[in-house]
Amino acid sequence: MSVESQRYVTLIDHQKGESYDFPLMSGSEGPDVIDIRDLYARTGMFTYDPGFTSTASCGSSITYIDGEKGILRYRGYDIEELTEHSDFMEVCYLLLYGELPNLAQLSNFECDITHHTMLHEQISNFFKGFRRDSHPMATMVGVMGALSAFYHDSLEIDNPKHRMIASYRMIAKVATIAAWAYKYSIGQPFVYPRNHYSYAENFLHMMFSVPTEEYLVNPVMAKAMDRILILHADHEQNASTSTVRLAGSSAANPFACIASGIASLWGPAHGGANEAVLNMLQEIGEVKNIPAFLARAKDRSDSFRLMGFGHRVYKNYDPRAKAIQESCHEVLKEVGGGHDPLFDLALELERVALEDPYFIEKKLFPNVDFYSGVIFKAIGIPVSMYTVLFAVARTVGWVSQWNEMYNDPTQKIGRPRQLYKGATYRPYLPVNERKR
Ligand code: SDX
C-alpha cells in the first residue's frame, strides 16, 4: 500500500504531551483494525479489553459474521445457501481448504474421512476408566486429548502432512468418540462405524443401533443432523476457537489443542447453553410461568439469564437459530403430530421476550442454542449429549482455524499482559511478627 493511501489513527497522551500514529488495516469486509502491535514498545502502555470485546486476535479467511445484519458465511458462502444446497462433508472440505471441492476432490475427501472413523481398539479401554454417570463432555475432553498417546505418526506439527493426517483423524473420529461416550454411559456395547453411511447417518447409527436388531437410519433425522453439523461447524474467533488457537500457539500437539477447545465449549455461557436451554424450558414448564422467568432474567441481582438468548456478536437474529427452528418443524412432523410442548413453549418464550423492552434495548435475540435442544430431543439425543454434538460439529472449525494459525507467518505464542491491581512491594515478615 502506498504511504499516501495508508490511513492512521493518532493516540494523544495529553498528560505527557506526546502523540503516536498507528496504522489502520482493512480486511475484505467487516470493521477496520488499528495495528497496535508496537504500542507497548513505543508508549510503554497496554490496551485494556477484558473479554476481547474490541480486539481482533488474528487475521482469518475462514468465517465472516456481521452481527448487526445477522450474516454468517463460511469462506464467503452464506450459511443459508450451504444448509440448503451442501452437506457436512463438503462444508468440512470448504472450511479446511477454502474452496468448494470438485467431484473427485469431494469423493477422495469423503473416502479419507470415512476410513479414519474407527478408533484404535485399545482406546476403548479409556472409556472404561470413567464412571458410567460421568458427563460425556468429560469423556470427550479425556479421550480426544489421549489420542496423542496413540497417533505418534502425526505429531510433528511442522510437517504439513502430519498436520493434515491429524486433522482428518480428529474430524473422522470425534463422532465415534461421542457415540461411544453415550453408549458407555447407558451400558450398551460400542457400535462400530459403517463405511457405507454418510457422516450424519454413521453418527445416528453408532448412537442408536444395538446388536440385537437391524437399525434403519431415518432419512429425515439424518438430513436434520447433517444440517445441524453444518450450522455448528465454525464461528470465527469464539471462546473455544480462541482457546484452540492459544493452545496451538505454544506448539502443543493437535489432539491436545482440540481437547482444550472441547473443554472451553463445555461452559453454559458457550456451547453448554444448548443443554441449559432444555433444562430451562423444562423448569419453566408452561407458558404461564414465562413472565416470572423473564423478570428473573432482567433482574441484575439475579444471576439467572435466559439461556439461548444473547450473543457477543449477533445483535440481530442468529441466522443459525432461524435455520434450526425451520428444521424443528420438519423433524417434529416426522416424529408424529408436529408438536412438542417444549417447542411450543420455546416459540412463545421467544415471542414474549422479543416484545420485551429489556430484550429489545439490549438486542438479545435467540442464538444457535435456543432451538437446537428441541430438535436434538425430537431426534432422541439425550440432554447430556447436546454439547457433545456441538463439539462433534465444531471440531472441523477448530481444526481449520488451527491449521490457518499454523500457516500464518505473523503468528507467535499468545501471551496477553494485564492491568496489575495487586499489592506493591512489601518486605517479608517472619510469622511471629505478623498481625495476630
Ligand atoms: C455460543 O461467540 C460465539 O460465536 C459463540 C457461539 C459459537 O457458535 O461459537 O455462537 C456459541 O456460545 C452462543 C451463546 C450461548 N450462550 C447462551 O445462550 C447463554 C446466555 N447468554 C449470555 O450468557 C450472553 O448473552 C452471552 C455470554 C452469550 C454473551 O455475553 P456478552 O456478549 O458478554 O454480553 P454481556 O454478558 O455483557 O451482556 C450484555 C447485557 C448485560 O446486561 P448489562 O450488564 O448491560 O445490564 O445483556 C444482558 C447482560 O446482563 N444479557 C442477558 C442475557 N445475555 C446478556 N440478560 C438476560 N439473559 C441473557 N441471556
Side-chain angles (χ1 to χ4, degrees), residues 62 75 87-98 106 108-119 140 143-145 147 151 154 161-179 193 197-203 206 226 229-230 232-234 244 254-259 262 388-404:
I62 299 175
R75 303 284 192 178
D87 67 30
F88 183 58
M89 274 297 102
E90 187 174 75
V91 166
C92 286
Y93 186 98
L94 174 66
L95 288 169
L96 271 173
Y97 293 105
L106 180 58
N108 291 335
F109 180 71
E110 281 181 329
C111 180
D112 288 342
I113 294 294
T114 299
H115 290 84
H116 276 296
T117 48
M118 276 183 71
L119 288 170
M140 293 288 286
V143 177
M144 179 60 81
L147 293 189
Y151 299 111
S154 61
K161 209 167 168 321
H162 281 208
R163 288 202 299 277
M164 213 28 91
I165 293 172
S167 302
Y168 279 31
R169 277 179 165 148
M170 288 188 281
I171 294 166
K173 296 179 193 305
V174 68
T176 312
I177 295 170
Y197 279 136
S198 72
Y199 194 92
E201 290 167 340
N202 228 343
F203 181 68
M206 292 189 285
D226 191 84
L229 293 168
I230 292 174
H232 288 78
D234 193 56
V244 169
F255 305 103
C257 294
I258 302 310
I262 297 173
V388 172
L389 250 177
F390 198 147
V392 170
R394 186 55 57 89
T395 293
V396 63
W398 290 329
V399 160
S400 304
Q401 299 268 354
W402 174 75
N403 276 291
E404 182 180 67

Side-chain angles (χ1 to χ4, degrees), residues 80-301:
E80 292 84 353
E81 292 187 61
L82 291 172
T83 47
E84 183 63 33
H85 304 298
S86 187
D87 67 30
F88 183 58
M89 274 297 102
E90 187 174 75
V91 166
C92 286
Y93 186 98
L94 174 66
L95 288 169
L96 271 173
Y97 293 105
E99 296 299 332
L100 286 171
N102 61 35
L103 264 180
Q105 289 164 332
L106 180 58
S107 138
N108 291 335
F109 180 71
E110 281 181 329
C111 180
D112 288 342
I113 294 294
T114 299
H115 290 84
H116 276 296
T117 48
M118 276 183 71
L119 288 170
H120 187 296
E121 193 57 23
Q122 270 183 253
I123 289 177
S124 61
N125 299 327
F126 267 105
F127 292 82
K128 293 165 189 152
F130 290 91
R131 285 175 43 141
R132 294 259 181 203
D133 60 354
S134 317
H135 194 291
M137 281 298 275
T139 311
M140 293 288 286
V141 173
V143 177
M144 179 60 81
L147 293 189
S148 52
F150 282 87
Y151 299 111
H152 298 290
D153 63 343
S154 61
L155 288 182
E156 285 166 38
I157 46 176
D158 292 330
N159 179 334
K161 209 167 168 321
H162 281 208
R163 288 202 299 277
M164 213 28 91
I165 293 172
S167 302
Y168 279 31
R169 277 179 165 148
M170 288 188 281
I171 294 166
K173 296 179 193 305
V174 68
T176 312
I177 295 170
W180 285 19
Y182 171 58
K183 283 301 198 188
Y184 179 72
S185 74
I186 57 174
Q188 286 188 0
F190 295 143
V191 174
Y192 288 83
R194 303 296 301 274
N195 291 348
H196 67 283
Y197 279 136
S198 72
Y199 194 92
E201 290 167 340
N202 228 343
F203 181 68
L204 293 174
H205 155 71
M206 292 189 285
M207 279 285 291
F208 298 122
S209 72
V210 287
T212 50
E213 59 192 31
E214 196 56 32
Y215 174 76
L216 292 176
V217 177
N218 179 318
V220 172
M221 303 302 182
K223 177 170 168 264
M225 181 56 69
D226 191 84
R227 180 181 285 183
I228 285 164
L229 293 168
I230 292 174
L231 289 167
H232 288 78
D234 193 56
H235 211 241
E236 202 211 69
Q237 305 311 318
N238 58 82
S240 53
T241 298
S242 300
T243 304
V244 169
R245 279 180 171 261
L246 200 53
S249 73
S250 76
N253 77 70
F255 305 103
C257 294
I258 302 310
S260 73
I262 297 173
S264 171
L265 184 77
W266 194 357
H270 189 14
N274 53 21
E275 180 177 343
V277 166
L278 231 288
N279 295 335
M280 176 187 73
L281 290 174
Q282 284 165 340
E283 193 185 350
I284 294 174
E286 43 191 308
V287 171
K288 71 177 175 49
N289 299 328
I290 288 177
F293 278 84
L294 281 194
R296 284 189 57 199
K298 299 188 286 187
D299 176 358
R300 292 179 65 107
S301 63

Side-chain angles (χ1 to χ4, degrees), residues 235-393:
H235 211 241
E236 202 211 69
Q237 305 311 318
N238 58 82
S240 53
T241 298
S242 300
T243 304
V244 169
R245 279 180 171 261
L246 200 53
S249 73
S250 76
N253 77 70
F255 305 103
C257 294
I258 302 310
S260 73
I262 297 173
S264 171
L265 184 77
W266 194 357
H270 189 14
N274 53 21
E275 180 177 343
V277 166
L278 231 288
N279 295 335
M280 176 187 73
L281 290 174
Q282 284 165 340
E283 193 185 350
I284 294 174
E286 43 191 308
V287 171
K288 71 177 175 49
N289 299 328
I290 288 177
F293 278 84
L294 281 194
R296 284 189 57 199
K298 299 188 286 187
D299 176 358
R300 292 179 65 107
S301 63
D302 188 331
S303 61
F304 173 78
R305 287 199 165 170
L306 206 59
M307 300 315 279
F309 264 76
H311 198 276
R312 171 61 56 76
V313 177
Y314 289 121
K315 301 307 171 193
N316 196 326
Y317 213 102
D318 184 334
R320 301 169 297 176
K322 215 174 288 172
I324 292 178
Q325 194 199 92
E326 284 153 20
S327 274
C328 279
H329 290 295
E330 283 168 30
V331 170
L332 289 173
K333 226 186 289 140
E334 181 65 19
V335 292
H339 269 280
D340 170 352
L342 279 182
F343 185 45
D344 299 341
L345 179 63
L347 288 169
E348 180 58 12
L349 176 57
E350 174 191 331
R351 187 191 65 76
V352 175
L354 294 187
E355 289 173 357
D356 184 292
Y358 173 92
F359 285 81
I360 295 168
E361 181 230 320
K362 293 187 186 295
K363 297 185 177 178
L364 303 174
F365 290 85
N367 59 49
V368 66
D369 294 307
F370 188 61
Y371 286 107
S372 48
V374 173
I375 201 167
F376 292 159
K377 177 173 170 288
I379 294 175
I381 309 277
V383 178
S384 64
M385 286 292 289
Y386 290 5
T387 310
V388 172
L389 250 177
F390 198 147
V392 170

